[in-house]
Amino acid sequence: LACGKSGLYVLDISDPYSPREVSHFTAGGHVNDVFLDSKLAYMTSVESGLYILDFTDPSRPREVSHFNTSGIRDVIVYDNHAYITCIHSGLYILDITDPSLPRQISHVNDIGEVESISIRDNHAYLACGKSGLYVLDISDPYSPEKITCFRPGGRVRRIFIHSHYVY
């Protein structure tokens, strides 16, 4: 559970009527999002960046590494890369082949406030607030290309993809 100032909580829900806290991890700021990939969790903190945590033992989370940037909202992992959305500075793409050494490989910063991301078939769909929905070709994560932008007239905050529709 990404719980803002309270950090990240792991709950045992084997009995859904009585969730039990297993562990807790605090970051230097508000925890906004978490993405789980195998035994690694990618946790965003608005103030202090991306934390990569090892949850091999869910009762003892261990920090593997940290990528320091502010304004992070959302994270998704796709094909050994972490895609991080930032309120003030667009989209960062990190090579996480070695999770202990995340390395920034590209940055798209002229798309407005990026609040969330979904990925399907080498395309990133970005919710960019007042700037609308941006679609990027990420087949080469070192050089993502803008394909199109759709501006619906309101703030685009979240993206969900199902079949060949985006919601």
Side-chain angles (χ1 to χ4, degrees):
L1 301 173
C3 297
K5 283 188 199 179
S6 298
L8 177 70
Y9 284 85
V10 177
L11 304 180
D12 178 342
I13 56 167
S14 55
D15 177 0
Y17 294 97
S18 184
R20 182 180 59 83
E21 183 180 332
V22 174
S23 63
H24 176 239
F25 185 88
T26 56
H30 292 77
V31 174
N32 202 54
D33 191 28
V34 64
F35 183 93
L36 191 62
D37 183 36
S38 186
K39 299 292 182 184
L40 295 176
Y42 298 81
M43 180 187 79
T44 64
S45 167
V46 175
E47 293 84 2
S48 60
L50 176 74
Y51 291 83
I52 300 176
L53 308 171
D54 183 338
F55 276 96
T56 301
D57 178 354
S59 67
R60 294 190 177 103
R62 181 181 62 83
E63 184 176 329
V64 174
S65 61
H66 175 241
F67 176 76
N68 190 12
T69 190
S70 65
I72 290 182
R73 284 284 193 191
D74 200 8
V75 61
I76 193 167
V77 172
Y78 179 77
D79 196 27
N80 287 321
H81 297 92
Y83 293 81
I84 305 166
T85 67
C86 292
I87 303 166
H88 309 293
S89 56
L91 177 72
Y92 288 93
I93 302 176
L94 307 181
D95 181 332
I96 53 166
T97 304
D98 179 353
S100 66
L101 296 168
R103 187 172 51 90
Q104 180 181 331
I105 59 170
S106 59
H107 180 214
V108 181
N109 64 358
D110 58 349
I111 53 179
E113 299 177 0
V114 185
E115 298 191 28
S116 70
I117 182 172
S118 285
I119 295 177
R120 179 174 176 215
D121 300 331
N122 285 321
H123 293 95
Y125 297 82
L126 305 171
C128 296
K130 292 178 183 176
S131 297
L133 165 72
Y134 272 87
V135 182
L136 305 179
D137 179 340
I138 55 168
S139 54
D140 178 2
Y142 288 86
S143 184
E145 294 182 35
K146 284 184 258 180
I147 296 174
T148 192
C149 177
F150 175 76
R151 291 184 175 88
R155 286 187 71 85
V156 180
R157 295 186 182 271
R158 300 291 298 165
I159 301 280
F160 299 96
I161 298 173
H162 177 70
S163 184
H164 60 275
Y165 297 100
V166 63
Y167 299 85

